[in-house]
Amino acid sequence: MMDSRAAAAAGAHASAVVSCLTVQTTASFSRFASVPRDVLDESLAAAVNCFPLRAIKVGMVGTRAAAEAILSFVAAHRDLPLVLDPVLRSSSGAPLLSSSALPAYRQLLRRAAVLTPNLPEAEKLLDRRIVSFADASEAAGELSGLTGASVVLKGGHFPWRGRRGTDIVFSDGQTTLLPPIGTRRGDPHGTGCALSAMIAARIATGDAVVPAVLAAKSLLSKLVAGGFPSTEGRPILFR
């Protein structure tokens, strides 16, 4: 639902397909359950039949069956730019990608047009620590070199003074820095997923990568400023 509403806010309609069902709140994560492979395959086919697709956004994958189904779909639609948000763990640290899914997931990484990791995800993908903001900037370029994708290294987890929330965009050999979001109401839930969905939506409407990211970050800033509080105290982006 978050991705669909974020895409709509950015000017596109999302044909949403669920790869996993999650049990979570704005402050905690309990577990996820997989969607059967045949159901996922049929759902992906239905998404294509309903609307003309202009981009693909992939978030949480979860299982090997889901990774292989999504990879097959992406391979059959090579003309569509893929925005891949590498959701590997929940905010509480629970793993969200099974080890058996890694072979197919690595192939997905190499098919992505845009990757949108946060700091822990970038460290996991590179299998090393990122120790400074300058190192993070280099890591964005390193990830781009490994995958061929443009990289948006989201800064919400940056621990370095004055750099938290500064996103690093590496595209076509150039680095662009996006300043932190201004007014905040707490620590909103789902900002990373929403940003990726809005980037995909802007690409679907014809934006190049950097303008798409700039437009998505600007819109996210407005949504965060108007965040709607949950009963747990952590706001969400949409009422």
Side-chain angles (χ1 to χ4, degrees):
M1 180 179 291
M2 173 70 76
D3 280 8
S4 295
R5 297 190 69 178
H13 176 82
S15 296
V17 173
V18 177
S19 61
C20 297
L21 300 174
T22 63
V23 181
Q24 62 178 316
T25 69
T26 61
S28 65
F29 180 91
S30 298
R31 63 185 291 249
F32 73 84
S34 60
V35 173
R37 172 67 188 267
D38 60 331
V39 175
L40 184 50
D41 285 334
E42 290 181 33
S43 298
L44 289 166
V48 175
N49 291 334
C50 284
F51 300 98
L53 301 186
R54 297 289 181 265
I56 301 170
K57 188 263 180 173
V58 173
M60 179 183 172
V61 172
T63 66
R64 174 181 175 179
E68 291 176 347
I70 294 168
L71 177 61
S72 178
F73 180 83
V74 168
H77 298 84
R78 296 173 183 268
D79 57 320
L80 298 178
L82 168 63
V83 177
L84 178 56
D85 187 19
V87 181
L88 306 178
R89 289 186 177 274
S90 69
S91 300
S92 60
L96 301 179
L97 183 70
S98 65
S99 58
S100 63
L102 288 176
Y105 197 80
R106 290 191 184 102
Q107 293 185 62
L108 273 176
L109 289 170
R110 291 192 291 271
R111 291 184 181 274
V114 183
L115 291 178
T116 62
N118 59 29
L119 180 61
E121 291 160 352
E123 290 182 329
K124 184 71 174 178
L125 293 174
L126 292 172
D127 195 26
R128 70 172 181 85
R129 291 288 310 280
I130 297 172
V131 298
S132 67
F133 185 78
D135 190 19
S137 186
E138 292 179 5
E142 188 178 346
L143 271 174
S144 180
L146 289 172
T147 62
S150 296
V151 173
V152 182
L153 181 46
K154 296 176 290 192
H157 289 78
F158 288 172
W160 310 296
R161 186 175 181 179
R163 293 300 191 178
R164 184 175 176 86
T166 298
D167 299 328
I168 301 170
V169 183
F170 187 89
S171 183
D172 292 329
Q174 300 293 319
T175 298
T176 303
L177 301 183
L178 276 61
I181 289 171
T183 304
R184 280 180 175 267
R185 295 183 180 179
D187 179 23
H189 177 68
T191 53
C193 296
L195 180 66
S196 302
M198 289 189 288
I199 291 170
R202 295 310 309 165
I203 289 174
T205 60
D207 285 356
V209 171
V210 173
V213 177
L214 290 170
K217 184 73 180 276
S218 176
L219 179 55
L220 182 64
S221 298
K222 296 175 184 176
L223 292 173
V224 167
F228 181 68
S230 72
T231 56
E232 295 173 308
R234 189 179 186 188
I236 57 174
L237 299 177
F238 300 99
R239 292 180 179 270

